[in-house]
Amino acid sequence: MGKEKKAERGAVKDLLKYLYVLVRQDSLSSFLLLTIGVLGVGFSLSSIICSKKVIDVATHVVTGRIEWGLIGLALLYTGNIILSILASKIGVHYQTTLYNRLSLHYFSGILHAEWKAQQMYHSGDIMSRVGTDIGDIVQLVVRTFPQFLVTLLKLASAIIYLFILDRRLTLVLMVIIPIVLLVSKLYFKKMRKLSVLIKESQSVVRQYFQESVQNAGIAKALHIEDRMKKELVKKQNDFLAHVLSHNRFHVFSNSVLSFGFATGYLTAFSWGVYKLYGNEITFGTMTAFLQLVAMMQGPALGLAASIPAFIAAYTALERLNELEKLPREQADMSLVQPSFRIEKITFSDVTFGYETGRQTLSHANFVFERGKMTALVGVTGCGKTTVMRLLLGLVSPQQGTVTVSDNKSGFPMAPAFRQRIAYVPQGNYLFSGSIRENLSLGNPDADDEVMKKALKMAAADFVFSMPSGLNSELKEGGKGLSGGQIQRLAIARALLHGGDVLLLDEATASLDEETEQNIIHSLKAHGKDKMIIVVSHRKQVIDVCDKKYVCLLYTSPSPR
């Protein structure tokens, strides 16, 4: 049990260090917000002192001018308003910039993580973490934590001033604080568990919703819209159940704390009334009692109210830290010198399998050469797409080697060589935006003439007949275009990327035979100095290739 607590404390300490690393770049904004909060506490305490003085003068307990006291109160209240405006302005700017920076940090981390590690997480889960969880962290850093520190200062100031006015009353009220701390500790543990359940169930809802929207066409074809709706309602009800459970416990805990604080206020009021009745204190002191107790109650309730935000942020930090720990690709760009050209890629006794336990490739041997078009053929599941991933350095062999070589030396396949490889995957995904923007992903420096040349080579002349041409807007995934049009744009984008190697993974599967033949012959004619590797099931494509490898399930691919 002791080891578990020690490990938990160590984990909390590591997460706090991690949080500090995330936000230290914005330390000036944090300092300004904290300074404004401290000034606000000073103004509030000064208002209480000033109010006591004005009331004592008005009741002739002490001598003085009421006007100066009222002017002082007006200035203090005005100062508080100005501080609130400044805090709001700085807070909004800080909140937005921090959210953008953290989003960019995790976005970059996910993109640069190893491909195999990325696949462990559902895209909807990642979106939930990068969206909702970052929001919880930002809320903690910008709002909750500075307010927490200011609240502690306000509480301490109120206790000190109340102690100066009446020591016995202060000691009586201080009994409540240990009770609050005990309840808070029990509250934290329970709320943390409930917060984890809420975030997990929220991710499940988001994953299902995202997949359903992306595959709405399939849902219609299978006529399962109502079934999918019922399944979403079921997942939403699970999420609702966790939220309500969280809320019930939160309301109960807050009610207990509120009752305790109400008892404290009643104690202070009764104490003050009896003191006032016995002429032991002035009416101004009685007013100060009530203001100070309110000043103590407000912060104490604020501390209790901030606990859910701390718990949500702690849970979010744990989930984001999992993404932070994704292994990064080691791209040694020094491997790819300007003079380096890929002349040959050799697979030597390569074995690879995914998490299912089945080997996709077993002792595979290939030789791909510059100036030749090579076909990879075979039944579904024999490892053709896996070969493409190995060629891209997305995964590494579990046995054997993939070697990239020029005329002088060879190197193990690495992510750095990807910049010399153009790739057209199955699915041929296009991004939202214009055709020009999609093509510029292949080459940001390409002008209109270069783009038009690539489009012609990919038989994508249909772009020129569109009303806005290259500036035509595409929807998500290229919706609105035919499958063949999407494939041709994807091929044009790959051609603009250039490089020494062109990989085509079923890149012409949606084209008619004539268009496909034209593209393949065009690619072969214009790619005589390139290494072209084609995955295809079509005989007319395979026949154009200089060489082919047949991938066999569970056996070594054999050259034909």
Side-chain angles (χ1 to χ4, degrees), residues 460-479:
D461 307 71
F462 67 89
V463 173
F464 307 135
S465 61
M466 297 175 74
S468 300
L470 287 168
N471 295 318
S472 300
E473 290 291 321
L474 301 177
K475 297 179 181 178
E476 180 186 6
K479 291 176 183 176

Side-chain angles (χ1 to χ4, degrees), residues 23-35 90 94:
V23 303
R24 64 183 175 185
Q25 294 182 22
D26 301 292
S27 55
L28 177 60
S29 297
S30 295
F31 175 75
L32 289 174
L33 287 174
L34 193 58
T35 301
I90 294 171
Y94 183 20

Side-chain angles (χ1 to χ4, degrees), residues 196-500:
V196 170
L197 290 173
I198 286 174
K199 286 188 175 295
E200 288 177 349
S201 58
Q202 188 178 35
S203 284
V204 169
V205 170
R206 185 159 189 166
Q207 290 170 31
Y208 189 79
F209 192 93
Q210 181 174 314
E211 281 191 357
S212 300
V213 171
Q214 287 176 341
N215 299 291
I218 297 174
K220 289 179 180 296
L222 295 174
H223 194 57
I224 57 173
E225 298 100 317
D226 291 336
R227 282 167 54 191
M228 294 181 73
K229 180 180 175 182
K230 289 178 181 177
E231 184 63 25
L232 180 60
V233 169
K234 182 181 176 183
K235 296 179 186 301
Q236 287 177 327
N237 286 337
D238 289 340
F239 172 59
L240 177 62
H242 293 312
V243 171
L244 292 178
S245 180
H246 179 281
N247 179 256
R248 282 193 298 271
F249 187 72
H250 177 59
V251 169
F252 171 75
S253 302
N254 267 11
S255 298
V256 172
L257 290 172
S258 297
F259 178 78
F261 293 134
T263 302
Y265 186 84
L266 183 60
T267 300
F269 181 79
S270 302
W271 187 286
V273 166
Y274 277 105
K275 288 269 189 176
L276 189 62
Y277 181 75
N279 292 320
E280 295 181 46
I281 61 171
T282 66
F283 188 71
T285 303
M286 170 68 176
T287 306
F289 276 174
L290 298 180
Q291 286 180 308
L292 286 168
V293 171
M295 190 174 172
M296 290 170 65
Q297 282 186 308
L301 285 171
L303 291 176
S306 67
I307 292 175
F310 274 103
I311 294 168
Y314 182 82
T315 307
L317 201 58
E318 285 182 310
R319 284 158 52 85
L320 288 171
N321 199 28
E322 290 178 10
L323 298 183
E324 185 74 22
K325 290 180 178 178
L326 288 176
R328 298 295 191 267
E329 282 190 334
Q330 302 301 315
D332 184 1
M333 305 311 294
S334 64
L335 292 173
V336 189
Q337 298 296 326
S339 59
F340 184 88
R341 298 189 69 186
I342 299 177
E343 297 290 341
K344 186 163 61 174
I345 299 178
T346 306
F347 281 54
S348 301
D349 197 35
V350 171
T351 296
F352 183 85
Y354 295 98
E355 301 302 326
T356 57
R358 182 179 68 82
Q359 289 183 349
T360 308
L361 288 177
S362 180
H363 305 288
N365 294 283
F366 304 125
V367 177
F368 302 106
E369 300 171 280
R370 175 190 284 274
K372 291 187 178 180
M373 180 180 281
T374 305
L376 276 175
V377 300
V379 298
T380 301
C382 69
K384 300 183 297 296
T385 297
T386 298
V387 172
M388 291 291 184
R389 290 170 181 163
L390 287 162
L391 286 166
L392 288 164
L394 295 175
V395 293
S396 301
Q398 293 161 348
Q399 180 181 319
T401 59
V402 178
T403 305
V404 181
S405 55
D406 58 6
N407 292 321
K408 299 177 182 178
S409 55
F411 305 92
M413 173 57 77
F417 293 110
R418 209 176 294 151
Q419 63 177 291
R420 297 294 181 88
I421 300 173
Y423 176 49
V424 184
Q426 293 186 44
N428 307 296
Y429 192 84
L430 298 178
F431 292 90
S432 302
S434 67
I435 292 176
R436 182 191 304 279
E437 288 169 338
N438 270 274
L439 294 178
S440 65
L441 294 174
N443 180 2
D445 299 322
D447 57 23
D448 285 11
E449 289 304 314
V450 174
M451 287 186 179
K452 288 177 181 178
K453 184 178 178 181
L455 288 169
K456 287 179 180 179
M457 195 180 301
D461 307 71
F462 67 89
V463 173
F464 307 135
S465 61
M466 297 175 74
S468 300
L470 287 168
N471 295 318
S472 300
E473 290 291 321
L474 301 177
K475 297 179 181 178
E476 180 186 6
K479 291 176 183 176
L481 298 178
S482 68
Q485 289 174 323
I486 292 173
Q487 284 194 326
R488 283 177 276 172
L489 287 176
I491 292 171
R493 181 175 61 195
L495 292 173
L496 286 169
H497 180 72
D500 304 324

Side-chain angles (χ1 to χ4, degrees), residues 36-52:
I36 290 172
V38 170
L39 289 174
V41 171
F43 283 10
S44 297
L45 201 58
S46 299
S47 298
I48 294 174
I49 296 171
C50 195
S51 296
K52 178 182 179 301

